[in-house]
Amino acid sequence: MASKKIKKPAVNNKKITDLAANTEDGTGQFLTTNHGVKINDNQNSLKSGERGSSLLEDFILREKITHFDHERIPERIVHARGSAAHGFFQLYQPQGQYTKAKFLNDISVQTPVFVRFSTVAGSKGSTDLARDVRGFAVKFYTEEGNYDLVGNNIPVFFIQDAIKFPDLIHAVKPEPHNEMPQAGSAHDSFWDFVSIMPESMHMIMWAMSDRALPRSLRMMEGFGIHTFRLVNEQGKSVFVKFHWKPLLGVHSVAWDEAQKISGKNSDFHKQDLWEAIENGAFPEWELGLQIVAEKDEHKFDFDLLDPTKLIPEELVPVQIIGKMTLNRNPDNFFAEAEQVAFHPGHIVPGIDFSNDPLLQGRLFSYTDTQLSRLGSSNFHEIPINRPITPVHNNQRDGHMRQTINRGTVANDPNTIAQGCPFQAKAMEGGFTSFNERIDARKVRARSASFHDHFSQATLFYNSQSEAEKSHIVSALRFELGKVERETIRIRVLGLLSQVDKDLAQKVAAGIGVDVPKKPEQPMNMSFGADVDPKRVQSKNVKQAIEKSAALSMANTIKNSIKSRQVAILVADGVNETAVTQMKNALVAGKAVVKVIAPKLGLIKGINGGVVKADQTFLTAASVLFDAVYVPGGAKSIAALLEEQDPVHFVNEAYKHCKAIAIDDEAIELLNATYIARSVAGASEKEMAKSGVIVNASHKIFIKAIAQHRFWDREKKDKVPA
Ligand code: HDE
């Protein structure tokens, strides 16, 4: 797809922080105070005698402690927990027919990007594996200024109007009286809110699906959610939805696994992203556009301005226009990932907003929040936030101002500075808003075209594979099972029954209440206090299609084991030749292999060689891996059986539907697991079909790992947690 004519990149992914020239590295340097005085003793404070009290004059101690006392800044109200990386975006084809944005027109430029992924509800120190939406925020440092695409990994949102956002977030955050639960939506206040906000049902389907449990940040899609506008050189506009498609496909973990990962390694996603980049397995996404001509604005069964709706790809295909590669970890987490300030209002000429009422509210919120989080209106001067283009204006002063503006004037117009800095005409690159015609009354109201709350929730459910559907049922049973007030559970069932009757019945069967015959429609608060609820009840609008392939993760790429984690379980007496051969085959496919043994150090093989153990059964766990291999060696197997942890390791990998390879000689270990019971009587070929590979070739194991999971196993077998 990429053009062969690509010239030498214009920017070539220079370090943004270096461009801002504020980096520091103490290598080979003396320790100093913040004011540059060399420090002679950093171990002892100044005292009146060796056993005496500390002296107030110790400016070194005071400076150090004072700085420490002020090290924290408020965490983000939402999206507090994040992981970030640098990279670049490169265009495949110029998009001049739609937009004049330069970075979307020049295929020779590598536009630097900084991307921050996040969970939404949890605090900064919470787990990566919470059931939650993931933030996917991209800052493009373009030659026309910074453009931020601040999206999520789910293409729709819970609410239609920004005025409901504080309520939504208050409902999902820990309850105010006891600050529980952390990073979880399975509690009364969240589901109470949902139960009377039918507009949230489409998003609820996504949030209860495995999309909310990504296997890796590198295996998530990203979406701009709102409809935006692109504007071309002639001032003509089209509507656009933005998509990021990961080249590794979209994959998730199981809920039981997610909960266990949270205990074993709450930095699972952060570490996975970091290590992939350090190992050169650079995460990649293609950028796609869904373009809708202005004349087609009203041709759909939903409103393009309604952020609880997506445009099915069957109706408007996604045009792939370029690729983003993340190739460098931050040098300093706080300076970069924590201080980065995204804003959907950071746009460049050629991109503009739509009237989506959720987007419109966001346009206010993001600068406002930086004022309390970063503490100054000069947050744009922090290196990670600076554009690569120079900034010239008459804004002055404020807390922690970095720029030393020269000259005698700070006003426009002026003659003293010959009118500088000048305004730029549109043809000179000056930003002009799309010339939209507006003729309306001032009202507090919601358009009738926003009143359909269920049909796309149904479309999503219908588009899922059987395994994905059953995971949604389990997730809803889990979440509602934690809701103490029965009335809330009943109301949610009423809403679910409007999405899919069978789904509601299945959930009801697990939570001890019946699906109500008549859902409580009038509880819907969305339409405003003075509106007769009977007149504006949610109404289902039949969608043009019944299923959409793009909505199911089951349909995404499954042909690579790149960066997949594979565990090899060994003990003294292992067949080390088999280990080496398997390791080589997996590493050739770019998987990451870890040898796990009862102890660290060198493990003796039967052929006179050794294998180095990377982890022990104490530090490793099956939930941290994608697949497991048990090589032969009778002594090794006997030792693993004695340990028992390896048996649990394999059982758990089986429960979570992962690929498992066992050598013939290791069959006794297989016999000690639940697998033996469930595959009893099956031929090796049949077992391989469900991802349990006995004595098979490396090729078959590699193919099985690429499959990601064998979810069908869940139907046949219940393995204890
Ligand atoms: Fe945000 N959101 N949001 N949001 N959002 C923030 O900004 C807000 C919404 C999203 O990695 C905050 O700097 C309002 C939708 C991401 O730094 C805050 C509304 C989408 C991030 C804020 C929304 C998002 C944020 C908190 C409804 C997907 C993390 C700290 C009108 C399209 C960015 C901050 C990062 C962060 C407000 C809804 C995505 C408070 C008022 C819809 C990825 O300003």
Side-chain angles (χ1 to χ4, degrees), residues 326-343:
L326 298 184
N327 61 359
R328 188 165 64 79
N329 280 314
D331 290 314
N332 182 286
F333 188 85
F334 180 84
E336 300 176 84
E338 202 53 24
Q339 295 203 112
V340 65
F342 292 97
H343 188 345

Side-chain angles (χ1 to χ4, degrees), residues 448-565:
S449 55
F450 279 43
H451 289 182
D452 167 21
H453 296 143
F454 297 106
S455 60
Q456 285 210 349
T458 309
L459 172 69
F460 177 77
Y461 190 65
N462 285 347
S463 307
Q464 303 303 293
S465 68
E466 281 313 306
E468 285 170 324
K469 280 185 180 170
S470 99
H471 292 177
I472 293 174
V473 171
S474 307
L476 283 161
R477 283 182 178 180
F478 178 94
E479 295 270 316
L480 296 172
K482 296 253 183 180
V483 168
E484 284 169 13
R485 292 167 179 83
E486 199 173 273
T487 47
I488 298 176
R489 277 184 259 153
I490 295 171
R491 277 205 301 272
V492 175
L493 285 178
L495 293 180
L496 291 176
S497 69
Q498 293 171 78
V499 176
D500 187 280
K501 294 241 161 0
D502 182 54
L503 164 70
Q505 289 298 349
K506 284 185 173 145
V507 175
I511 59 168
V513 284
D514 292 331
V515 180
K517 293 215 167 57
K518 209 167 177 301
E520 284 181 55
Q521 282 278 12
M523 287 300 292
N524 180 4
M525 305 296 290
S526 311
F527 303 118
D530 293 332
V531 181
D532 174 2
K534 287 200 195 76
R535 202 169 57 79
V536 290
Q537 282 185 0
S538 309
K539 43 181 161 295
N540 256 356
V541 177
K542 196 170 157 27
Q543 294 293 297
I545 53 169
E546 275 174 17
K547 277 185 180 190
S548 173
L551 304 186
S552 167
M553 290 189 290
N555 299 325
T556 66
I557 307 154
K558 291 186 169 59
N559 58 9
S560 162
I561 62 164
K562 194 171 161 188
S563 78
R564 293 301 188 144
Q565 305 277 333

